[in-house]
Amino acid sequence: MRGAAGGVGTAAVQLAHAMGGHVTALARERHAGALRALGADEVLDYGATAAERTGPFGVVLDTVGSELSRYRRRLARDGRMATIALSASSLAAIAASSVHGARRIRALSADPGTAVLRDLADRVASGVVRPVVDSVYPLADIASAHRAFERGGVVGKQVVAVAGERPNPL
C-alpha cells in the first residue's frame, strides 16, 4: 500500500487487514506505529526503502501516482495494481501494463455499488474500520491545515470545521 498514512491509505490498511490480507504499508517511518495499530503487518519507510527491495506483492494499492511502472515490477506473476492518483505518467503506465505482460495496473473507480457501500457502512458501524482524523482546524485557521498537509506530517485526514453551517438535505 503506497501512501498508507493518508486518508484513503488508512482506510485501505484497515479494510485489507479486516479481509485477511497481509498488509505492507509504505509511508514515513514516523507513521509506523499508527499504521501497525490500524492493522499493517509491515511498515516500510518510503524514504529509505528502494522499490527494488520490496515485494513481490499480489496486490498494490497506490495513492501516490508516481513511479507506477517501478512498483509494477514488484508485483507477483499475476499481481494487480490499482491507483487512485491519475496523471499523464500514470495513464501511460496503465496503458503500457495493458499491453506488456500479466502484471496489470488499473485506475480505481469511484463509483461503488450499493452492496459495497453497505458492506463498508457495516464495517464502520462495527468499528472494524474507523475514520482516522489527524487534526481539526477552524475555518479561520485553514492556512495552518494547508501548511501541515504540505509538510506531510499527518496520519489520516485533516478536518476543517465550518461553524454555523448545516448540511443541505437532499
Side-chain angles (χ1 to χ4, degrees), residues 2 51-52 62 65-75 81 89-90 92-97 103 105:
R2 289 187 71 212
E52 294 72 25
D62 176 272
S66 62
E67 302 182 290
L68 295 183
S69 294
R70 205 168 153 209
Y71 283 93
R72 177 179 169 257
R73 290 186 208 101
R74 309 319 315 150
L75 290 170
M81 180 178 204
S89 65
S90 64
I94 291 168
S97 79
R103 296 178 189 111
I105 305 172

Side-chain angles (χ1 to χ4, degrees), residues 30-166:
R30 67 176 174 234
H31 301 316
L35 291 168
R36 283 190 185 95
L38 294 173
D41 298 291
E42 298 176 64
V43 180
L44 303 177
D45 179 359
Y46 81 86
T49 307
E52 294 72 25
R53 295 182 54 215
T54 65
F57 300 109
V59 176
V60 172
L61 176 60
D62 176 272
T63 67
V64 180
S66 62
E67 302 182 290
L68 295 183
S69 294
R70 205 168 153 209
Y71 283 93
R72 177 179 169 257
R73 290 186 208 101
R74 309 319 315 150
L75 290 170
R77 181 171 154 74
D78 288 320
R80 296 290 183 259
M81 180 178 204
T83 185
I84 63 166
L86 294 179
S87 65
S89 65
S90 64
L91 290 173
I94 291 168
S97 79
S98 297
V99 176
H100 302 289
R103 296 178 189 111
R104 308 284 179 158
I105 305 172
R106 295 289 181 262
L108 202 60
S109 169
D111 188 20
T114 303
V116 171
L117 292 174
R118 187 171 291 123
D119 179 60
L120 180 59
D122 291 345
R123 290 175 191 268
V124 171
S126 69
V128 170
V129 174
R130 62 181 176 82
V132 177
V133 176
D134 182 85
S135 47
V136 179
Y137 294 87
L139 182 59
D141 197 21
I142 197 167
S144 293
H146 189 65
R147 282 191 294 275
F149 177 77
E150 287 177 334
R151 282 191 304 272
V154 301
V155 175
K157 285 291 191 184
Q158 294 175 295
V159 174
V160 176
V162 181
E165 291 291 322
R166 292 181 179 219

